Amino acid sequence: MSAVPAGPPVPSPDAGPVVAGLRLRPAVGLAIALTLLSVIFIGCSAYAVYADWTTWALMQRLLSDPGAVGDAELSRGESLFLLASSVQTRALIVAFVVFLVWFHLVRANSRVFAQGADRLADGVAVGARSAPTAKLWLPYRIAATTWMSSRPLGVDDDSRRFPSTLVHVWWGAFAAARVLGWCGGMAYSLAESPGAVRYAVTTMLVGDVLDVVAAVLTPLFAIRLTAMQRTRSARRPAVAAVRP
């Protein structure tokens, strides 16, 4: 029997939509893991807020009456502050690593829906390495673009049902917390008086409160964006054809 010429490979019915070599990848598991880690980070940040407040109150007492605070109490206050800062930092690193992996997946998925939508972000990535302000602006730009590219589309204007307010507030809280935490940490390391320590701790206290806000908004952002991509994929399993 003569051989039949082989035709093009038949795609698997279980395969996700593919556009120009791009394939949707599941991000639900990472979104759930990020939610659990965010809850842990909220607890660590709340502990840091308690330590900040305790240290602030201790410095206030020391300024009002230096003889009312002993060395042992000062040592306990410093130990509490340093322990809370260490625990919070480690929890942030773990959560941030998981967030980066999840964010990479959803960004890749958004390219399937709207190729070229994040071209501007890619173009300024090199400049962000040398511009400190761009290091804060670029991730927000990518997050906002990914959000807009992942909005489910239908007959009605669904973009109105998926405003970018959550992205703005979440990133604003996260960026402000990072800036205040860095400034407060520098001020604390250079402080040589109770007044300077109180100022540094006040800055860190505000930053830690914003950390709690950002940690609450992070899983909301992750779950919402992941659900948006799943909805859009279900509505258009074949994904729109790529323009030449």
Side-chain angles (χ1 to χ4, degrees), residues 11-18 23 237:
S12 169
D14 297 329
V18 179
R23 181 184 300 272

Side-chain angles (χ1 to χ4, degrees), residues 1 17 19 23 31 81 84-85 99 106 110 126 128-129 139 158 169 176 181 188 191 193 201 212 231 241 244:
M1 181 181 295
V19 177
R23 181 184 300 272
F81 181 82
S85 178
F99 174 83
V106 295
S110 71
V126 176
R129 297 176 183 175
D158 285 355
V169 178
Y188 184 83
S193 66
V201 170
V212 174
T231 300

Side-chain angles (χ1 to χ4, degrees), residues 27-39:
V28 177
L30 286 171
I32 295 174
L34 182 60
T35 300
L36 296 177
L37 290 173
S38 295
V39 172

Side-chain angles (χ1 to χ4, degrees), residues 46-189:
Y47 181 51
V49 169
Y50 166 74
D52 294 338
W53 178 256
T54 301
T55 304
W56 185 93
L58 195 61
M59 293 300 104
Q60 183 66 23
R61 287 174 52 202
L62 189 60
L63 289 171
S64 302
D65 184 6
V69 181
D71 293 339
E73 191 173 3
L74 286 174
S75 179
R76 287 195 300 270
E78 182 179 13
S79 298
L80 173 65
F81 181 82
L82 295 178
L83 175 61
S85 178
S86 176
V87 170
Q88 184 191 32
T89 300
R90 294 180 182 182
L92 175 63
I93 292 174
V94 174
F96 193 66
V97 169
V98 175
F99 174 83
L100 287 179
V101 177
W102 168 83
F103 193 56
H104 173 74
L105 288 181
V106 295
R107 184 190 179 195
N109 288 344
S110 71
R111 290 176 171 176
V112 177
F113 299 129
Q115 290 194 62
D118 59 352
R119 187 174 301 168
L120 175 62
D122 289 337
V124 298
V126 176
R129 297 176 183 175
S130 57
T133 55
K135 292 180 180 179
L136 292 177
W137 176 82
L138 179 59
Y140 162 74
R141 175 67 172 80
I142 296 175
T145 303
T146 301
W147 180 276
M148 290 185 293
S149 301
S150 303
R151 286 170 174 169
L153 301 177
V155 178
D156 299 326
D157 185 11
D158 285 355
S159 63
R160 296 180 180 178
R161 298 195 293 117
F162 300 94
S164 302
T165 306
L166 178 59
V167 183
H168 304 331
V169 178
W170 161 72
W171 184 256
F174 177 79
R178 301 281 68 73
V179 172
L180 290 174
W182 182 83
C183 293
M186 288 294 296
Y188 184 83
S189 64

Side-chain angles (χ1 to χ4, degrees), residues 1-13:
M1 181 181 295
S2 60
V4 179
V10 179
S12 169

